[in-house]
Every structure is written in structure tokens, then in C-alpha cells.
Amino acid sequence: MNLEGDRNTAFFHALINKNRIKNHIHRMVDSHGNIFDTEELITSSVVDFFKDIFNCTKVTSLIVNANVIPKLVGDDDNVMLTQPPSEDEIWNIIKEMNGDSVAGPDGFTTKFFIHAWEVIKNDVVNVIHDFFKGNAYPEFFASTNIVLISKKDNPTYWNDFRPISLCTFFNKLVAKIIAIRLSLILSRIISINQTGFVKGRSIFDNILLAQEVVHDLNVKGNDGNIIFKLDITKAYDNLKWNYLYKILHLFGFNQNFIKLIKNSIETCFFLLSLMVRIMVFFLPSMGWARGSFIAFSIYYCYGISVQRY
């Protein structure tokens, strides 16, 4: 007989207890060198750390020359992006989603919706249509768990953790619908030298090109050669919403589509989870939840404006 999961044995429970002890945080240090060694202080420290990351404290720079962003999205594109999806479109996308992905705050995985589709399909379709009419998520649908995964043994600073976002099923479904539709026009927006995350392009082309450039770096010439390696720290966390909306408008996305994006990110409540406990429930004012299907596509539109400046 085949069993799913691990058997309920003493070895299994011993392994769980060992991992629980290993993952327990006993001591943390903040950027100022302050030490936190009690559960209350550690909790307060991590809440302050992530609230600082996801809340905007700097004034967003204005777009000085809007002409550097060409209008590439037409009326037909906007109609395609914003029209309510059909039942078949929703169902086909649900079948493509990973049924084994970890559940978010709602506790439901894709497998549940696939197996119960005939019973719940009308409710699911009505919820998706309500969102595409311009209505924001209900607070529960917009909730996202932030789970901290340690990058190394015995982490000391909060930067030693990798935050993972666990969204609700409806949050992931709406993002998947928009992302698939965006992929149909993304190649017109993203320049040809950007090869990552664009269907029909291979990121290995740029890797090979970079190797050739480095190989020829020491070739003698009239002028010197130099390579810049740029790393945008916490790229998704530093995304300013108002600047993003302006960029999307300049590309030609209409207000209905921009409202869909606004409702996808501005109503997203974060529930910070630490040592299997929910610590705090807060609303960010910038950035985007990691792992969102649509985040890659929208962020490249954001990044193109930086390149053109």
C-alpha cells in the first residue's frame, strides 16, 4: 500500500523536533549592532526590519523627459489585457498551476480547486470577474504570508534570511491570468538585448556574450576597456508604486489595466511568520511580494525606464 507523506513514527517526530530546535532563533543583531536575545525583542526587531523595507520613506523621483518611453501598447492590447476572462480561460490556467505549491493564508492549494471545480466553478468565475471590473481584493484574499528561510547556518542578521511570499490561491490565479496575457505583448516592450523571462529568448545568449566580452577585455586598443557589474539590491522591495504607474501609462497601458495592477499590489497585506508563529499584520507602501507570477513582467517595464534614462 502506498502512503503519502511520512509515517507517524518515533523517528519522524524526533526529526521534526530536531529541525524545530535547529530553526529556532536565539539571538539577532540589527544594523546598528543592537543585540536581541529574548523572544519579545527578536519579534519586535524583525517587525521593524520588514516594515522599514516595505514602507517608502524617500520622495519618488519625477520623470524629467517622458519622451524616452515610447508608446508601444495599443487599444486592442488594452482590451485584451482587461477583459474579464472566460470560464475556459480560468480553468485552463488553473490546470497549468503547480498543484503541490505551498498554500498561503487561505490554506488551499491548486489541487483542491481542480478536484472541486464542478462544485465551485461559478463562485471562482464570479470572484475573478469582480476583480476585472476594477474592484479590489477582499482583505482575506489579499493576505500574504512572509516566511523567512535562512541562507546559512546560525544566522545573525535579518539580511541572512531570504523572505518567501506565500499568497492565497485567488491572488496567484489573478496574477497568472495577467502574466499570461502580458506575455503576448512583452516582446514588443522589452528591448532585444534583454533575454531573460521573455518567451522565445534564451538568457544563455547574454551569458555567452558576456564571456566573449570578458575574454577580449585585455585586447590592446587606442582606448581602455572597462566592465560595470550592477546589482540592484532588493529590487522588488524598492519598487515605487507611483513611478511604476507613470511608466505603464507612458508605454500606453490604459487606466483600467493600471487599476488592475494597483489593486494587485496596494491591497496586499503581509503576515510575517517567524518560528511557525504569525507575528504581525501590516500594509506596505512600496515593493512587490516575491514570487508573484506578474512581478517579473511588470518589473521589466520598470527596469526599461531606468535603462533609457
Side-chain angles (χ1 to χ4, degrees), residues 29 85 97 100 116 161 211 261 304:
V29 181
M97 295 171 65
D100 294 321
F161 290 90
Q211 289 177 337
I261 301 301
I304 289 170

Side-chain angles (χ1 to χ4, degrees), residues 10-109:
F11 173 77
F12 171 75
H13 286 282
L15 188 64
I16 293 297
N17 290 331
K18 179 182 177 181
N19 289 334
R20 187 174 297 165
I21 294 172
K22 179 182 177 182
N23 295 329
H24 187 81
I25 300 173
H26 300 277
R27 180 178 179 272
M28 293 301 296
V29 181
D30 67 9
S31 57
H32 302 291
N34 299 317
I35 298 175
F36 307 98
D37 53 7
T38 66
E39 183 173 335
E40 182 179 354
L41 291 176
I42 290 174
T43 300
S44 177
S45 173
V46 69
V47 169
D48 291 341
F49 178 79
F50 280 98
K51 277 189 174 181
D52 182 63
I53 288 178
F54 289 107
N55 284 282
C56 184
T57 56
K58 297 180 181 179
V59 178
T60 304
S61 300
L62 298 176
I63 299 176
V64 179
N65 182 10
N67 295 325
V68 299
I69 308 296
K71 184 177 180 180
L72 300 173
V73 181
D75 293 338
D76 292 340
D77 298 323
N78 281 306
V79 171
M80 179 271 294
L81 290 169
T82 58
Q83 65 184 354
S86 65
E87 179 184 317
D88 288 339
E89 181 181 0
I90 295 172
W91 172 234
N92 289 331
I93 290 176
I94 290 176
K95 289 188 294 183
E96 292 178 2
M97 295 171 65
N98 183 5
D100 294 321
S101 61
V102 179
D106 56 353
F108 292 105
T109 64

Side-chain angles (χ1 to χ4, degrees), residues 207-222:
I207 295 175
L208 293 174
L209 178 61
Q211 289 177 337
E212 291 296 325
V213 171
V214 172
H215 179 74
D216 295 334
L217 187 64
N218 293 324
V219 175
K220 293 183 179 180
N222 295 329

Side-chain angles (χ1 to χ4, degrees), residues 88-213:
D88 288 339
E89 181 181 0
I90 295 172
W91 172 234
N92 289 331
I93 290 176
I94 290 176
K95 289 188 294 183
E96 292 178 2
M97 295 171 65
N98 183 5
D100 294 321
S101 61
V102 179
D106 56 353
F108 292 105
T109 64
T110 305
K111 278 187 176 180
F112 167 80
F113 288 86
I114 291 176
H115 290 299
W117 180 248
E118 291 302 322
V119 178
I120 63 176
K121 64 181 181 181
N122 290 334
D123 293 325
V124 174
V125 172
N126 289 336
V127 169
I128 300 302
H129 284 185
D130 184 68
F131 178 82
F132 274 85
K133 290 177 183 177
N135 297 316
Y137 289 124
E139 187 173 294
F140 180 70
F141 286 174
S143 301
T144 299
N145 284 349
I146 298 181
V147 180
L148 303 182
I149 307 298
S150 178
K151 299 178 184 178
K152 62 181 184 180
D153 294 333
N154 301 318
T156 304
Y157 304 94
W158 292 120
N159 282 326
D160 294 334
F161 290 90
R162 180 180 293 107
I164 303 296
S165 299
L166 304 179
C167 305
T168 62
F169 172 81
F170 283 102
N171 199 325
K172 290 186 284 189
L173 177 57
V174 168
K176 186 74 170 179
I177 293 171
I178 298 176
I180 290 177
R181 292 180 174 185
L182 263 179
S183 67
L184 301 176
I185 64 172
L186 209 58
S187 60
R188 300 202 315 252
I189 300 174
I190 298 179
S191 56
I192 59 174
N193 60 338
Q194 173 59 56
T195 57
F197 305 108
V198 180
K199 189 175 182 179
R201 302 181 189 179
S202 174
I203 196 171
F204 294 106
D205 294 340
N206 276 4
I207 295 175
L208 293 174
L209 178 61
Q211 289 177 337
E212 291 296 325
V213 171

Side-chain angles (χ1 to χ4, degrees), residues 50-56 142-144 146 236-237 239 241 245 262 264-271 281-289:
F50 280 98
K51 277 189 174 181
D52 182 63
I53 288 178
F54 289 107
N55 284 282
C56 184
S143 301
T144 299
I146 298 181
Y236 291 108
D237 301 338
L239 191 151
W241 294 342
Y245 304 148
K262 291 180 69 172
S264 295
I265 58 179
E266 290 193 10
T267 60
C268 183
F269 288 85
F270 287 153
L271 294 90
F281 187 72
F282 67 94
L283 184 67
S285 62
M286 71 174 186
W288 204 318

